[in-house]
Amino acid sequence: MNHSSLSTFLRPVLSLALVASGIGTAQAAVSVCVDTSSPTVEMDKAIAAAVAKQQNTTLTVHDFDGTGDDEEGFDLKEFNAMAAKDCQLVMGFPVDASSSGLPEGMKATSAYGRTGFVLVTPVAAAAHSLSTLPEGSEVAVAYQTTPNLYFADHPKLQASVHPTNDAAISALEQKKVGAAMLWRPSVVGYLAKHKEAKQFDYAELNEPHARWNLVALYDPANAAAAQAFETSIKALQANGTLGKLLDPYAVAVDDQAKSVAAAPKAAATGADNKAAGGNGEAAGGAKKVVTGSGEAAKLYTSAQAERGKADYAENCALCHGDTLSGRSGPALKGKHFANPAANFHVGDIFTIVSQNMPATQPASLEPKVYADIMAFLLQENGYPAGDKELTFDDAKASKEPLIYHGASK
Ligand code: HEC
């Protein structure tokens, strides 16, 4: 089964199990790889076609299936190899607009589009922000996607977790829930397939990590092709072609991107700008930062991690495994858990742990115990011990990137 991990918070987004399928070497002037499991695949193809046309040349499209087919999920090496060999550009890679992160060794074009998570409500009871939903509303989300985090800041809402975006919107359609928080391209895809289900309204979520840039990834050797792509995108933007192609998927630019830890309450103001249409503008803001190479901070002491180890064994191991490699719950160590591309911070994961875990008795442990367990998780993900203990408040506020730094020593 799908081993969930931090990266799977973005599963509908970063579906990157890059199993390259029957591929030849690219010869055409424009060649792209597209993820057939991504809800933006048709748009990505259409944009690539428009770029090729703009360059007055031909287009080769290599399909790959980005859904994980094994426990390891995607393999970055395979991904890099694909980008080096099979196409100049890998379309449709979402980059968190409030931070950034790319697979190591890869470069990204500036954003050609923007999309994100939206609040979907029935037209008859339309709401445009979480704070305007009636108290006690049940809100459907897809398993381990970013919006699962939003319940922490909106305790009056009830989470209804579904295996996929389609299942979540279907629950809304059947009136089992009052609203849903979903990846906009998935909603667009669902509504296209279910023509009868037209009675929905959707609005941008003004919440942390809700907005994403779409970029194309490329191997540094293909820098010239990437530059030509960017030039074409600008031209397509200027003549309105790009806006039309992006329109159903687009969300507006968010200048006040906040992280979960920094935003205990999402501001109600500004949250009700309707998403309908979007502005289709390609924001050139994708930062070309490769995370994961920095020095890991010393956030805890080894004595604390030792205590955390015992607390973990008692409270968490049953579901997450004695060695943190996962059982009924996902793995809590390794590059898929602490994946730089997911752009989560220590504070984000600590919020999940302290508010949702143990899954059977959420928030039932002492604050100090949660902090100790977090120390143990950090140790197991290769963070070095220091001489200051991690406190509950520090853990919650921590902006330290959650990145696997290798096996603990
Ligand atoms: C009864 C089983 C169970 C227990 C006990 C449990 N968890 Fe979980 N945990 C889960 C399940 C299932 C998920 C995935 C579903 C979800 O995200 O809600 C999960 C998700 C998580 C996640 C999110 C991981 C990711 O990559 O998405 C973290 C972190 C986590 N648990 C930590 C802990 C810690 C720390 C403890 C002990 C204090 C603990 N859990 C106890 C079942 C459990």
Side-chain angles (χ1 to χ4, degrees), residues 13-26:
V13 188
L14 295 177
S15 49
L16 282 176
L18 307 170
V19 192
S21 51
I23 294 156
T25 310

Side-chain angles (χ1 to χ4, degrees), residues 4-9 143-144 148 311-312 315-320 328-332 336-337 349 352-353 356-360 365 370 373 377:
S4 38
S5 64
L6 250 198
S7 65
T8 53
F9 268 95
Y143 180 62
Q144 292 208 323
N148 285 275
D311 293 330
Y312 174 89
N315 299 292
C316 321
L318 180 67
C319 300
H320 292 282
S328 61
L332 299 180
H336 302 305
F337 169 67
I349 203 71
I352 296 172
V353 170
N356 302 348
M357 293 295 137
T360 39
L365 308 177
Y370 279 118
I373 291 174
L377 294 185

Side-chain angles (χ1 to χ4, degrees), residues 33 44 53 56 58 71 78-79 103 121 128 135 137 148 167-168 202 213 217 225 241 259 271 286 292 299 355 373:
C33 290
D44 289 330
K53 195 169 165 214
N56 205 9
T58 51
E71 297 195 354
E78 237 181 302
F79 185 67
T121 43
H128 297 140
E135 257 192 70
S137 293
N148 285 275
Y202 40 105
N213 288 321
L217 296 184
T241 308
S259 87
L299 301 169
Q355 304 197 356
I373 291 174

Side-chain angles (χ1 to χ4, degrees), residues 273-363:
N273 48 332
K274 280 198 59 179
N279 62 4
E281 189 192 334
K287 289 178 222 122
K288 295 171 179 126
V289 176
V290 176
T291 45
S293 45
E295 234 357 51
K298 296 178 174 163
L299 301 169
Y300 65 92
T301 68
S302 45
Q304 183 179 25
E306 206 48 45
R307 292 198 305 269
K309 185 177 181 177
D311 293 330
Y312 174 89
E314 193 177 322
N315 299 292
C316 321
L318 180 67
C319 300
H320 292 282
D322 293 338
T323 58
L324 293 84
S325 52
R327 197 171 285 163
S328 61
L332 299 180
K333 74 171 175 197
K335 60 181 174 163
H336 302 305
F337 169 67
N339 177 355
N343 271 310
F344 274 73
H345 300 113
V346 169
D348 298 333
I349 203 71
F350 188 73
T351 300
I352 296 172
V353 170
S354 59
Q355 304 197 356
N356 302 348
M357 293 295 137
T360 39
Q361 283 168 295

Side-chain angles (χ1 to χ4, degrees), residues 87-164:
C87 51
Q88 299 160 336
L89 297 159
V90 185
M91 298 289 291
F93 190 84
V95 182
D96 187 338
S98 64
S99 43
S100 63
L102 296 174
E104 222 160 300
M106 304 287 296
K107 292 195 169 280
T109 63
S110 52
Y112 62 79
R114 235 170 216 266
T115 189
F117 292 96
V118 290
L119 178 64
V120 190
T121 43
V123 167
H128 297 140
S129 70
L130 293 181
S131 46
T132 56
L133 284 172
E135 257 192 70
S137 293
E138 262 202 85
V139 184
V141 290
Y143 180 62
Q144 292 208 323
T145 52
T146 306
N148 285 275
L149 293 172
Y150 303 158
F151 294 102
D153 287 339
H154 297 274
K156 285 171 185 150
L157 302 177
Q158 299 282 321
S160 164
V161 184
H162 298 262
T164 60

